[in-house]
Amino acid sequence: MKLIIAIIKPFKLDEVREALSELGVQGMTATEVKGFGRQKGQTEVYRGAEYATNMVPKIRIETVVSDDLAPRVVETIAAAANTESIGDGKIFTLDVGAALRIRTGETDDTAL
């Protein structure tokens, strides 16, 4: 099993969710986060005053999928989240040692 973590632009969340659903991904977690990378923050105007923010709002998506599905999930997220501009985000893939569905006691792939 693989844990896939993607950091994407907030307005791309629905496109990514729909694309993953079409691929057969049955669940994911999305969290509003802030961070910075090469963007180095941004300038915003609030009540007529311009100020710089060094943390850019993003969405962190997490999903656990079977090993054979993981490469397609990464490709799907990359395609759906791509705007071809700086700040599109990153995708990380990590190994998952075990999974357990609390309600049924199912483990590993059957728990997904």
Side-chain angles (χ1 to χ4, degrees), residues 4 26 36 54 56 68 97-98 105-106 109:
I4 298 174
Q26 295 184 5
F36 73 92
N54 58 1
V56 180
D68 58 326
E106 295 170 303
D109 282 342

Side-chain angles (χ1 to χ4, degrees), residues 84-109:
E84 296 188 9
S85 62
I86 192 166
D88 276 348
K90 299 254 191 313
I91 302 172
F92 306 97
T93 304
L94 294 84
D95 289 324
V96 174
L100 172 76
R101 183 185 310 267
I102 295 172
R103 179 179 56 86
T104 62
E106 295 170 303
T107 59
D108 299 331
D109 282 342

Side-chain angles (χ1 to χ4, degrees), residues 46-112:
Y46 179 70
R47 294 190 177 184
E50 187 174 298
Y51 65 99
T53 59
N54 58 1
M55 301 296 273
V56 180
K58 299 287 185 178
I59 297 290
R60 176 182 169 136
I61 296 171
E62 299 176 59
T63 188
V64 178
V65 297
S66 62
D67 288 333
D68 58 326
L69 187 58
R72 289 187 295 165
V73 169
V74 170
E75 291 170 8
T76 300
I77 293 171
N82 188 4
T83 66
E84 296 188 9
S85 62
I86 192 166
D88 276 348
K90 299 254 191 313
I91 302 172
F92 306 97
T93 304
L94 294 84
D95 289 324
V96 174
L100 172 76
R101 183 185 310 267
I102 295 172
R103 179 179 56 86
T104 62
E106 295 170 303
T107 59
D108 299 331
D109 282 342
T110 57
L112 301 179

